[in-house]
Amino acid sequence: MKKSNVIYKAFNLYYEGFKNMTVGKTLWTVIIIKLFIIFVVLKLFFFPNFLKNNAGEGNEAQFVGEQLVERANPE
C-alpha cells in the first residue's frame, strides 16, 4: 500500500495515537467495561424477552398486532 494513500494515513494516525496512549488506555478499558455492563448484564437481568414469554412459537406477529389494536382502542 502506498504511504500517500488517504486510508493508510487515517489508519496510521489512529494506530500511532492508540499505541502511544498512557492514560487513554485505562479510560478506554473503563468505557468498554461500562458498555459491557449496560448492554449485556442489564439486558439479561432487567429486560426479559416479553414476546417469547407471552406469544406462542410462530405467533409473534399476531400477538403484536393484537396488542397494538387493543391498546389503540381501549373500549
Side-chain angles (χ1 to χ4, degrees):
M1 193 177 330
K2 294 181 181 179
K3 299 240 181 203
S4 63
N5 189 354
V6 176
I7 296 172
Y8 177 78
K9 286 182 179 180
F11 173 78
N12 195 32
L13 173 77
Y14 285 103
Y15 179 75
E16 292 295 326
F18 283 118
K19 187 170 77 170
N20 296 326
M21 272 189 200
T22 54
V23 177
K25 287 181 184 178
T26 306
L27 294 175
W28 276 108
T29 304
V30 169
I31 290 169
I32 290 170
I33 291 170
K34 288 172 81 173
L35 287 173
F36 177 79
I37 290 170
I38 289 170
F39 288 111
V40 175
V41 175
L42 290 177
K43 168 89 170 89
L44 290 174
F45 293 113
F46 294 109
F47 300 108
N49 192 346
F50 185 79
L51 202 56
K52 184 178 179 182
N53 295 337
N54 294 314
E57 184 69 30
N59 295 328
E60 291 89 358
Q62 180 182 356
F63 177 76
V64 171
E66 289 173 358
Q67 291 298 312
L68 287 173
V69 170
E70 183 179 312
R71 291 177 187 189
N73 298 323
E75 295 173 355

